[in-house]
Amino acid sequence: MSASTWKLIKVALLVLGSAGLYLLATHQQGQRESIRRAAVALTPDCVEKLGRYGLASGEHYQSPYVLQRTGARITARGYSDEDVRAIQRGCNIIDDTQGHLAGDVDRERWNATRFIRSKHLSCDHCHQGIGDKQDADGNRLKGSLSLGASWAMADMYDRFTGLLLPYELRQMQCYINSSNGYKPNISDDLIRDVTAYSRFLSVALDLRIGNHYDEQGVDEIPASDTPKQGDDYVRGEALYKQKCAGCHGPQAFGLEANGRVVAPALAGPNAWNMQSRNYFYYVSTILPGFICRNMPPEQGNTLPNQECRDIAYYISNLPRPAGDRQGPLVALRQQVLMTVLPPLLRLTAAARSGEVPVERESGRDR
């Protein structure tokens, strides 16, 4: 075979390969466009939430929430049909990230689980009330991780990275750390729809961009807000068994029933990793604040600050995945701990009680 013939073959193969990639990309883009144009099947909670906030396409939008709370009719720019569908999909993703209520997870949740190692994670576990937690009277709650208030902060200085991060990049950190997963592309439809929903919440609640609101972030609890008893593992273990184990399980591996997560994992492979801000040894103020404001369910703000710090300290000493920055040796150590410790603890607990060890967490044996 001559050199010129070989060159022609290589050029032809290159052209065919490029054409194949182009056709594949065109096909995938067409699929995504069909999803964007399809009607959205809302989760029951999203039906209630978006109905209460009066989401509809039109030239103008007026928030029923603002009208009811203040009597003012504040008119904002309206939403197109495409905008409404993006907001609806974003609400579904926050409420049902794993797609348990979806007929087709890939289509209805943008295959969100491809970025998530945890089988328990739902955005609503942290951003409760589908990103807009309120009390029975409709009052927004301090330190409730409101998505609307977070969006209104716009580009925000992040004290952990030292960077000025837009809302989309702050979302991406949740997938890396809180879900022990992978970083989505910033232009992914998953990020776009959650952003659309968060922006809608800020409009529905009349939150002005650039302002700080009490419900933005977690109301953190530093050691200075306690009686200076020090964070105690033994107290934390006793408190966890008394107040938390009934939902999250004796080893904090979470609880599943009929394929649904009843209480998410606080330790083990389905929990956040050692790089998350929930990890007490990385940030010692955030997890105690979340516990005090939200736990036990429907009984937030009932635990003393010291108890919340003790529980958070205990939880963070349980085995969990390493973060991306810890390196392979730490990751291997944590994997061994997550594999070996749970059965050993079950055996020792059974030996103390004289019972046969039975694992009830996550609805299956471990």
Side-chain angles (χ1 to χ4, degrees):
M1 184 180 295
S2 66
S4 59
T5 303
W6 178 239
K7 287 182 180 179
L8 287 174
I9 291 174
K10 288 197 291 185
V11 170
L13 290 174
L14 180 61
V15 170
L16 288 173
S18 301
L21 290 174
Y22 174 79
L23 291 174
L24 177 62
T26 302
H27 173 69
Q28 291 180 335
Q29 181 62 25
Q31 287 184 318
R32 299 187 82 83
E33 280 297 325
S34 69
I35 296 173
R36 294 182 187 125
R37 294 171 183 167
V40 180
L42 290 170
T43 66
D45 287 342
C46 282
V47 170
E48 189 278 331
K49 173 72 72 176
L50 297 179
R52 182 157 55 90
Y53 285 157
L55 175 64
S57 59
E59 185 176 353
H60 301 289
Y61 170 77
Q62 288 185 341
S63 170
Y65 177 88
V66 175
L67 179 62
Q68 180 184 14
R69 302 285 294 183
T70 67
R73 294 182 179 274
I74 298 177
T75 301
R77 188 184 68 180
Y79 299 98
S80 67
D81 291 337
E82 182 180 359
D83 293 333
V84 170
R85 291 193 296 270
I87 293 166
Q88 290 174 332
R89 290 191 300 266
C91 184
N92 280 347
I93 291 167
I94 299 299
D95 186 39
D96 182 42
T97 313
Q98 296 283 345
H100 295 300
L101 302 177
D104 186 334
V105 178
D106 290 355
R107 291 181 62 87
E108 296 181 45
R109 302 293 182 270
W110 294 119
N111 194 16
T113 53
R114 72 190 188 276
F115 300 118
I116 301 171
R117 289 190 182 103
S118 168
K119 296 180 180 178
H120 283 196
L121 172 94
S122 177
C123 302
D124 194 43
H125 290 155
C126 291
H127 303 282
Q128 297 187 357
I130 322 183
D132 171 32
K133 187 176 182 180
Q134 300 172 4
D135 64 18
D137 296 323
N139 298 308
R140 307 196 301 271
L141 303 179
K142 182 179 180 180
S144 57
L145 280 172
S146 165
L147 292 176
S150 181
W151 187 88
M153 288 295 291
D155 293 352
M156 185 178 73
Y157 174 75
D158 181 65
R159 74 179 191 264
F160 302 100
T161 62
L163 300 173
L164 190 66
L165 298 180
Y167 182 70
E168 291 81 0
L169 288 179
R170 283 182 271 144
Q171 277 189 65
M172 292 158 67
Q173 288 186 320
C174 288
Y175 289 98
I176 298 171
N177 300 327
S178 297
S179 64
N180 186 36
Y182 311 95
K183 180 174 67 176
N185 188 298
I186 196 169
S187 62
D188 195 282
D189 283 284
L190 180 70
I191 298 292
R192 188 190 73 159
D193 288 350
V194 171
T195 302
Y197 173 66
S198 302
R199 181 184 180 277
F200 170 72
L201 286 181
S202 73
V203 176
L205 300 172
D206 192 30
L207 307 179
R208 306 305 173 92
I209 192 163
N211 289 351
H212 177 77
Y213 296 93
D214 287 342
E215 61 267 33
Q216 194 270 332
V218 174
D219 189 21
E220 302 178 35
I221 298 179
S224 58
D225 285 349
T226 68
K228 306 297 189 298
Q229 295 179 358
D231 307 315
D232 190 277
Y233 179 91
V234 175
R235 287 200 309 261
E237 181 182 22
L239 289 166
Y240 178 85
K241 290 179 179 179
Q242 177 187 354
K243 301 176 183 291
C244 313
C247 291
H248 295 283
Q251 297 186 55
F253 279 1
L255 182 64
E256 297 176 19
N258 300 320
R260 298 290 305 278
V261 176
V262 177
L266 307 177
N270 287 316
W272 58 82
N273 62 34
M274 296 168 64
Q275 203 171 304
S276 170
R277 298 172 188 185
N278 286 333
Y279 185 52
F280 191 89
Y281 287 99
Y282 184 43
V283 188
S284 66
T285 56
I286 290 181
L287 183 57
F290 181 84
I291 293 171
C292 266
R293 301 297 166 258
N294 299 284
M295 297 291 126
E298 309 301 328
Q299 299 177 48
N301 297 299
T302 60
L303 296 177
N305 288 350
Q306 185 63 64
E307 290 191 1
C308 294
R309 286 190 63 90
D310 289 342
I311 293 170
Y313 183 62
Y314 168 73
I315 289 172
S316 290
N317 277 280
L318 298 175
R320 68 186 60 255
D324 293 341
R325 296 180 182 177
Q326 271 79 41
L329 292 180
V330 175
L332 177 60
R333 182 195 68 191
Q334 294 303 113
Q335 190 62 45
V336 170
L337 289 175
M338 289 189 292
T339 303
V340 173
L341 279 183
L344 287 178
L345 291 174
R346 290 199 299 271
L347 287 172
T348 55
R352 287 196 301 267
S353 62
E355 298 175 352
V356 178
V358 177
E359 178 58 72
R360 295 180 179 178
E361 293 179 273
S362 294
R364 59 181 183 275
D365 291 341
R366 288 187 181 273

